[in-house]
Short mmCIF file of all heavy atoms in Angstrom, two decimals:
data_model
loop_
_atom_site.label_atom_id
_atom_site.label_comp_id
_atom_site.label_asym_id
_atom_site.label_seq_id
_atom_site.Cartn_x
_atom_site.Cartn_y
_atom_site.Cartn_z
N ALA T 899 86.42 118.36 95.51
CA ALA T 899 86.59 117.30 96.46
C ALA T 899 88.04 116.82 96.48
O ALA T 899 88.73 116.94 95.44
CB ALA T 899 85.69 116.10 96.14
N THR T 900 88.50 116.37 97.62
CA THR T 900 89.83 115.75 97.73
C THR T 900 89.72 114.49 98.57
O THR T 900 88.77 114.29 99.34
CB THR T 900 90.89 116.67 98.35
OG1 THR T 900 90.38 117.11 99.66
CG2 THR T 900 91.17 117.87 97.47
N ILE T 901 90.69 113.62 98.39
CA ILE T 901 90.75 112.34 99.14
C ILE T 901 92.18 112.03 99.48
O ILE T 901 93.10 112.31 98.69
CB ILE T 901 90.10 111.22 98.27
CG1 ILE T 901 89.93 109.93 99.07
CG2 ILE T 901 90.90 110.96 96.98
CD1 ILE T 901 89.04 108.90 98.38
N ASN T 902 92.41 111.50 100.65
CA ASN T 902 93.77 111.21 101.05
C ASN T 902 94.24 109.88 100.43
O ASN T 902 93.47 109.20 99.73
CB ASN T 902 93.92 111.18 102.56
CG ASN T 902 93.43 109.87 103.16
OD1 ASN T 902 92.45 109.29 102.71
ND2 ASN T 902 94.09 109.42 104.22
N TRP T 903 95.49 109.51 100.66
CA TRP T 903 96.08 108.40 99.92
C TRP T 903 95.39 107.08 100.18
O TRP T 903 95.26 106.24 99.26
CB TRP T 903 97.56 108.27 100.31
CG TRP T 903 97.80 107.79 101.70
CD1 TRP T 903 97.92 108.56 102.80
CD2 TRP T 903 97.96 106.46 102.15
NE1 TRP T 903 98.11 107.81 103.91
CE2 TRP T 903 98.14 106.48 103.52
CE3 TRP T 903 97.97 105.22 101.48
CZ2 TRP T 903 98.34 105.33 104.26
CZ3 TRP T 903 98.16 104.06 102.23
CH2 TRP T 903 98.32 104.13 103.63
N SER T 904 94.82 106.90 101.38
CA SER T 904 94.20 105.62 101.73
C SER T 904 92.71 105.61 101.37
O SER T 904 92.07 104.55 101.40
CB SER T 904 94.36 105.31 103.18
OG SER T 904 93.59 106.24 103.97
N GLY T 905 92.15 106.78 101.11
CA GLY T 905 90.72 106.86 100.89
C GLY T 905 89.92 107.04 102.17
O GLY T 905 88.70 107.11 102.13
N GLY T 906 90.61 107.09 103.28
CA GLY T 906 89.92 107.18 104.56
C GLY T 906 89.51 108.60 104.93
O GLY T 906 88.69 108.77 105.84
N ILE T 907 90.02 109.58 104.27
CA ILE T 907 89.68 110.99 104.55
C ILE T 907 89.30 111.65 103.24
O ILE T 907 90.01 111.53 102.25
CB ILE T 907 90.86 111.73 105.19
CG1 ILE T 907 91.32 111.07 106.48
CG2 ILE T 907 90.45 113.20 105.46
CD1 ILE T 907 92.60 111.68 107.06
N SER T 908 88.19 112.38 103.29
CA SER T 908 87.75 113.13 102.10
C SER T 908 87.15 114.45 102.55
O SER T 908 86.77 114.65 103.68
CB SER T 908 86.75 112.33 101.27
OG SER T 908 85.62 111.99 102.02
N ASP T 909 87.11 115.35 101.61
CA ASP T 909 86.59 116.69 101.85
C ASP T 909 85.83 117.14 100.63
O ASP T 909 86.23 116.84 99.51
CB ASP T 909 87.75 117.66 102.15
CG ASP T 909 87.29 119.03 102.53
OD1 ASP T 909 86.25 119.14 103.24
OD2 ASP T 909 87.96 120.03 102.14
N TYR T 910 84.74 117.87 100.83
CA TYR T 910 83.88 118.28 99.72
C TYR T 910 83.55 119.75 99.82
O TYR T 910 83.38 120.32 100.90
CB TYR T 910 82.57 117.49 99.72
CG TYR T 910 82.77 116.00 99.43
CD1 TYR T 910 82.97 115.12 100.48
CD2 TYR T 910 82.73 115.52 98.13
CE1 TYR T 910 83.14 113.75 100.25
CE2 TYR T 910 82.89 114.16 97.89
CZ TYR T 910 83.12 113.28 98.93
OH TYR T 910 83.27 111.94 98.69
N GLY T 911 83.39 120.35 98.63
CA GLY T 911 82.92 121.72 98.61
C GLY T 911 81.46 121.76 99.02
O GLY T 911 80.71 120.80 98.78
N ASP T 912 81.04 122.84 99.60
CA ASP T 912 79.69 122.96 100.09
C ASP T 912 78.63 122.74 98.99
O ASP T 912 77.55 122.22 99.22
CB ASP T 912 79.47 124.31 100.75
CG ASP T 912 80.25 124.49 102.04
OD1 ASP T 912 80.66 123.47 102.62
OD2 ASP T 912 80.46 125.64 102.47
N SER T 913 78.94 123.21 97.80
CA SER T 913 77.96 123.13 96.71
C SER T 913 77.74 121.70 96.21
O SER T 913 76.73 121.44 95.49
CB SER T 913 78.37 124.02 95.57
OG SER T 913 79.62 123.62 95.04
N VAL T 914 78.61 120.77 96.54
CA VAL T 914 78.47 119.40 95.99
C VAL T 914 78.27 118.38 97.11
O VAL T 914 78.02 117.22 96.84
CB VAL T 914 79.68 119.00 95.16
CG1 VAL T 914 79.94 120.02 94.04
CG2 VAL T 914 80.92 118.80 95.99
N LYS T 915 78.42 118.79 98.36
CA LYS T 915 78.35 117.89 99.51
C LYS T 915 76.99 117.18 99.52
O LYS T 915 75.93 117.80 99.36
CB LYS T 915 78.52 118.67 100.80
CG LYS T 915 78.92 117.81 101.98
CD LYS T 915 79.29 118.69 103.16
CE LYS T 915 80.52 119.51 102.88
NZ LYS T 915 80.93 120.32 104.08
N GLY T 916 77.01 115.87 99.64
CA GLY T 916 75.80 115.07 99.66
C GLY T 916 75.36 114.60 98.32
O GLY T 916 74.49 113.73 98.19
N ARG T 917 75.92 115.17 97.22
CA ARG T 917 75.57 114.77 95.85
C ARG T 917 76.73 114.10 95.15
O ARG T 917 76.50 113.20 94.31
CB ARG T 917 75.15 115.99 95.06
CG ARG T 917 73.96 116.72 95.65
CD ARG T 917 73.45 117.82 94.69
NE ARG T 917 74.45 118.84 94.47
CZ ARG T 917 74.95 119.17 93.30
NH1 ARG T 917 74.51 118.56 92.20
NH2 ARG T 917 75.84 120.15 93.19
N PHE T 918 77.95 114.49 95.44
CA PHE T 918 79.13 113.93 94.77
C PHE T 918 79.89 113.06 95.75
O PHE T 918 79.86 113.27 96.97
CB PHE T 918 80.05 115.05 94.33
CG PHE T 918 79.57 115.90 93.20
CD1 PHE T 918 78.23 115.83 92.72
CD2 PHE T 918 80.39 116.78 92.53
CE1 PHE T 918 77.79 116.61 91.69
CE2 PHE T 918 79.96 117.59 91.51
CZ PHE T 918 78.63 117.47 91.08
N ARG T 919 80.59 112.06 95.18
CA ARG T 919 81.42 111.20 96.02
C ARG T 919 82.73 110.91 95.33
O ARG T 919 82.73 110.46 94.18
CB ARG T 919 80.72 109.89 96.33
CG ARG T 919 81.47 109.06 97.37
CD ARG T 919 80.66 107.80 97.78
NE ARG T 919 80.67 106.81 96.71
CZ ARG T 919 81.58 105.86 96.56
NH1 ARG T 919 82.59 105.81 97.39
NH2 ARG T 919 81.49 104.99 95.57
N ILE T 920 83.85 111.18 96.01
CA ILE T 920 85.17 110.90 95.46
C ILE T 920 85.67 109.56 95.96
O ILE T 920 85.39 109.17 97.10
CB ILE T 920 86.13 112.05 95.88
CG1 ILE T 920 87.46 111.90 95.08
CG2 ILE T 920 86.35 112.13 97.37
CD1 ILE T 920 88.39 113.13 95.25
N SER T 921 86.35 108.87 95.09
CA SER T 921 86.94 107.57 95.44
C SER T 921 88.22 107.38 94.68
O SER T 921 88.50 108.15 93.76
CB SER T 921 85.95 106.42 95.21
OG SER T 921 85.63 106.33 93.84
N ARG T 922 88.98 106.36 95.04
CA ARG T 922 90.25 106.12 94.31
C ARG T 922 90.54 104.63 94.27
O ARG T 922 90.05 103.83 95.07
CB ARG T 922 91.38 106.87 94.98
CG ARG T 922 91.70 106.45 96.39
CD ARG T 922 92.71 107.38 97.02
NE ARG T 922 94.02 107.29 96.34
CZ ARG T 922 94.94 108.25 96.40
NH1 ARG T 922 94.72 109.33 97.12
NH2 ARG T 922 96.09 108.07 95.76
N ASP T 923 91.37 104.26 93.32
CA ASP T 923 91.87 102.91 93.19
C ASP T 923 93.38 103.01 93.03
O ASP T 923 93.86 103.32 91.89
CB ASP T 923 91.19 102.23 92.00
CG ASP T 923 91.57 100.74 91.87
OD1 ASP T 923 92.62 100.35 92.41
OD2 ASP T 923 90.83 100.02 91.23
N ASN T 924 94.10 102.78 94.08
CA ASN T 924 95.56 102.92 94.01
C ASN T 924 96.21 101.92 93.05
O ASN T 924 97.27 102.22 92.49
CB ASN T 924 96.15 102.80 95.44
CG ASN T 924 95.83 104.03 96.28
OD1 ASN T 924 95.51 105.08 95.78
ND2 ASN T 924 95.86 103.84 97.59
N ALA T 925 95.65 100.77 92.94
CA ALA T 925 96.19 99.79 92.03
C ALA T 925 96.16 100.27 90.56
O ALA T 925 96.97 99.87 89.75
CB ALA T 925 95.43 98.43 92.15
N LYS T 926 95.19 101.14 90.30
CA LYS T 926 95.05 101.69 88.95
C LYS T 926 95.54 103.11 88.86
O LYS T 926 95.36 103.74 87.80
CB LYS T 926 93.57 101.63 88.51
CG LYS T 926 93.04 100.22 88.39
CD LYS T 926 91.58 100.20 87.94
CE LYS T 926 91.06 98.75 87.81
NZ LYS T 926 89.63 98.73 87.34
N ASN T 927 96.11 103.63 89.94
CA ASN T 927 96.62 104.98 89.93
C ASN T 927 95.54 105.97 89.46
O ASN T 927 95.82 106.91 88.71
CB ASN T 927 97.85 105.10 89.00
CG ASN T 927 98.96 105.92 89.60
OD1 ASN T 927 99.06 106.10 90.84
ND2 ASN T 927 99.85 106.43 88.76
N SER T 928 94.36 105.77 90.00
CA SER T 928 93.16 106.50 89.51
C SER T 928 92.37 107.10 90.63
O SER T 928 92.34 106.59 91.76
CB SER T 928 92.30 105.58 88.68
OG SER T 928 92.93 105.10 87.53
N VAL T 929 91.61 108.17 90.27
CA VAL T 929 90.67 108.77 91.17
C VAL T 929 89.37 109.00 90.38
O VAL T 929 89.40 109.19 89.16
CB VAL T 929 91.21 110.11 91.72
CG1 VAL T 929 91.45 111.14 90.65
CG2 VAL T 929 90.30 110.64 92.83
N TYR T 930 88.25 108.90 91.11
CA TYR T 930 86.94 108.99 90.46
C TYR T 930 86.04 110.01 91.15
O TYR T 930 86.26 110.34 92.34
CB TYR T 930 86.24 107.62 90.50
CG TYR T 930 87.11 106.51 90.01
CD1 TYR T 930 87.82 105.72 90.89
CD2 TYR T 930 87.23 106.25 88.63
CE1 TYR T 930 88.63 104.68 90.40
CE2 TYR T 930 88.04 105.23 88.17
CZ TYR T 930 88.75 104.46 89.08
OH TYR T 930 89.55 103.44 88.61
N LEU T 931 85.08 110.50 90.42
CA LEU T 931 84.09 111.40 91.00
C LEU T 931 82.70 111.00 90.52
O LEU T 931 82.37 111.13 89.34
CB LEU T 931 84.37 112.87 90.61
CG LEU T 931 83.48 113.89 91.29
CD1 LEU T 931 83.80 113.96 92.79
CD2 LEU T 931 83.65 115.28 90.64
N GLN T 932 81.94 110.42 91.45
CA GLN T 932 80.57 110.07 91.13
C GLN T 932 79.68 111.30 91.41
O GLN T 932 79.66 111.79 92.57
CB GLN T 932 80.08 108.91 92.01
CG GLN T 932 78.66 108.51 91.81
CD GLN T 932 78.38 107.92 90.41
OE1 GLN T 932 79.17 107.14 89.89
NE2 GLN T 932 77.28 108.35 89.82
N MET T 933 78.99 111.75 90.40
CA MET T 933 78.16 112.96 90.51
C MET T 933 76.71 112.60 90.32
O MET T 933 76.33 112.09 89.25
CB MET T 933 78.63 113.97 89.47
CG MET T 933 80.10 114.32 89.51
SD MET T 933 80.57 115.63 88.39
CE MET T 933 80.22 114.86 86.81
N ASN T 934 75.93 112.80 91.33
CA ASN T 934 74.50 112.52 91.33
C ASN T 934 73.69 113.79 91.48
O ASN T 934 74.21 114.80 91.89
CB ASN T 934 74.15 111.52 92.43
CG ASN T 934 74.89 110.22 92.32
OD1 ASN T 934 75.13 109.69 91.21
ND2 ASN T 934 75.25 109.63 93.45
N SER T 935 72.42 113.68 91.13
CA SER T 935 71.51 114.85 91.26
C SER T 935 72.13 116.12 90.69
O SER T 935 72.12 117.18 91.28
CB SER T 935 71.17 115.08 92.75
OG SER T 935 70.59 113.92 93.34
#
């Protein structure tokens, strides 16, 4: 998965689409990956 600087655009691989979610916190200079199922 990837996410743009604002978090407004994201892209996912086919194998994880619908199960994983990418997010970011620019104040913490961090990116996250929530993985479900």
Side-chain angles (χ1 to χ4, degrees):
T900 55
I901 189 168
N902 79 324
W903 69 272
S904 69
I907 302 172
S908 58
D909 184 37
Y910 295 89
D912 290 341
S913 61
V914 307
K915 199 172 295 183
R917 300 187 298 121
F918 290 11
R919 188 173 74 88
I920 189 170
S921 62
R922 63 188 294 160
D923 185 336
N924 288 338
K926 296 182 179 180
N927 224 21
S928 296
V929 63
Y930 309 97
L931 186 68
Q932 178 66 44
M933 306 186 295
N934 300 324
S935 302

